[in-house]
């Protein structure tokens, strides 16, 4: 099974940590995000990973190499200029020889199972998006009709689903991908209109996008204290 990890972004919101390293090499619980991702994918049957690299991509090559230390094969899809997520996937397709493959944003820490996504690529479906419940970043206050406070809820789960940044795609998606631009903007709306895109909801899983220093702290705690993963 093939997977593409989108590892070409600048990670501006994580500066100064990303001044001298690409975002996927920022450490969570003592290991780069990329290391957690590769282990997570390999343990689910992924054998080949395409790393779509751009900003400081040479450092990713130095760290991952040919992938043998992780027990996988690695290919490098190099962006000479930012292509966006859609352009990055299109650029990586030349390394994929399976009909279906996984795509992961390079800043995601999760333990969701990708087989559900792959199994959703049936019939005319070209893409499947992992969806997770939206958790409020803030505590919620409930009041009565007179304004008296009834209750406090600390960061509750909200009745909405969000794009988790993990996808299963068929290689025929090439016809929908831009040469430059984001898959979320240029591709998914077209697939949705054509009834070729499905969402797969994951409820009881861990999922975290590492965008800020606070996200790093929360992910570190989830791994070290809550046992989201078994540390290697």
């Amino acid at each position: 099974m093939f997977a593409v990890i989108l590892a070409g972004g600048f990670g501006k919101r994580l500066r100064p940590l990303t001044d001298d390293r690409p975002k996927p090499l920022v450490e969570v619980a003592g290991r780069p995000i990329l290391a957690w991702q590769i282990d997570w994918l390999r343990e689910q049957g992924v054998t080949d990973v395409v790393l779509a690299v751009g900003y400081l991509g040479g450092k990713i090559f130095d760290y991952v190499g040919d992938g043998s230390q992780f027990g996988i094969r690695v290919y490098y899809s190099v962006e000479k200029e930012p292509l966006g997520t859609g352009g990055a996937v299109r650029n990586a397709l030349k390394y994929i020889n399976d009909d279906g493959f996984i795509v992961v944003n390079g800043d995601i820490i999760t333990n969701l199972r990708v087989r559900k996504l792959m199994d959703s690529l049936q019939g005319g479906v070209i893409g499947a998006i992992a969806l997770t419940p939206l958790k409020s970043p803030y505590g919620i206050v409930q009041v009565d009709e007179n304004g008296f406070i009834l209750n406090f809820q600390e960061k509750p789960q909200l009745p909405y689903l969000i794009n988790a940044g993990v996808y299963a795609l068929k290689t025929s998606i090439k016809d929908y991908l831009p040469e430059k631009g984001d898959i979320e903007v240029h591709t998914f709306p077209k697939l949705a209109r054509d009834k070729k895109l499905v969402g797969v909801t994951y409820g009881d899983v861990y999922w975290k996008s590492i965008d800020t220093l606070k996200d790093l702290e929360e992910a570190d705690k989830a791994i070290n204290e809550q046992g989201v993963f078994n540390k290697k």
Side-chain angles (χ1 to χ4, degrees), residues 58 80 82 91 119 146:
K80 295 182 179 179
N91 200 43
D119 289 345
N146 297 312

Side-chain angles (χ1 to χ4, degrees), residues 4-25:
V4 175
I5 298 179
L6 302 176
F10 292 99
K12 293 180 180 179
R13 285 184 288 178
L14 278 173
R15 288 178 174 170
L17 296 180
T18 52
D19 284 344
D20 62 352
R21 77 192 83 175
K23 191 176 182 181
L25 292 186

Side-chain angles (χ1 to χ4, degrees), residues 137-158:
Y138 307 105
I140 300 297
V141 181
Q142 295 178 320
V143 298
D144 66 14
E145 64 274 11
N146 297 312
F148 289 100
I149 292 176
L150 297 174
N151 189 29
F152 296 90
Q153 286 184 279
E154 181 61 24
K155 299 181 180 180
Q157 183 172 297
L158 301 177

Side-chain angles (χ1 to χ4, degrees), residues 4-219:
V4 175
I5 298 179
L6 302 176
F10 292 99
K12 293 180 180 179
R13 285 184 288 178
L14 278 173
R15 288 178 174 170
L17 296 180
T18 52
D19 284 344
D20 62 352
R21 77 192 83 175
K23 191 176 182 181
L25 292 186
V26 170
E27 291 191 352
V28 176
R31 306 179 73 220
I33 296 169
L34 187 56
W36 291 111
Q37 290 187 326
I38 292 175
D39 283 353
W40 161 67
L41 290 168
R42 186 196 64 247
E43 290 167 2
Q44 297 188 72
V46 170
T47 56
D48 297 76
V49 172
V50 182
L51 293 173
V53 299
Y55 172 67
L56 297 178
K59 293 201 171 187
I60 292 178
F61 178 81
D62 291 341
Y63 178 72
V64 179
D66 64 1
S68 57
Q69 64 172 314
F70 292 96
I72 57 168
R73 288 181 291 269
V74 170
Y75 313 84
Y76 292 88
S77 179
V78 179
E79 301 177 20
K80 295 182 179 179
E81 62 177 336
L83 299 177
T85 54
V89 172
R90 184 184 182 93
N91 200 43
L93 284 175
K94 57 182 174 287
Y95 297 102
I96 298 171
N97 57 28
D98 280 351
D99 182 44
F101 61 100
I102 297 295
V103 175
V104 183
N105 287 344
D107 56 3
I108 301 298
I109 295 285
T110 186
N111 58 8
L112 67 80
R113 311 308 292 175
V114 299
R115 178 50 60 184
K116 288 173 61 177
L117 290 170
M118 293 294 288
D119 289 345
S120 298
L121 298 180
Q122 303 291 333
V125 173
I126 292 178
I129 299 176
L131 306 175
T132 60
L134 173 62
K135 186 175 181 180
S136 172
Y138 307 105
I140 300 297
V141 181
Q142 295 178 320
V143 298
D144 66 14
E145 64 274 11
N146 297 312
F148 289 100
I149 292 176
L150 297 174
N151 189 29
F152 296 90
Q153 286 184 279
E154 181 61 24
K155 299 181 180 180
Q157 183 172 297
L158 301 177
Y160 302 102
L161 296 173
I162 60 172
N163 178 350
V166 182
Y167 318 123
L169 306 174
K170 289 184 178 178
T171 51
S172 56
I173 199 171
K174 182 177 182 179
D175 295 335
Y176 289 82
L177 291 171
E179 293 187 4
K180 189 175 183 179
D182 289 332
I183 194 170
E184 300 86 353
V185 175
H186 296 276
T187 302
F188 288 159
K190 293 178 183 178
L191 289 176
R193 286 195 296 269
D194 291 347
K195 300 297 182 183
K196 296 180 182 295
L197 184 68
V198 297
V200 179
T201 301
Y202 292 83
D204 188 22
V205 299
Y206 180 77
W207 179 89
K208 191 72 177 175
S209 177
I210 309 299
D211 295 313
T212 65
L213 294 177
K214 185 177 181 181
D215 293 330
L216 277 176
E217 293 173 358
E218 291 179 355

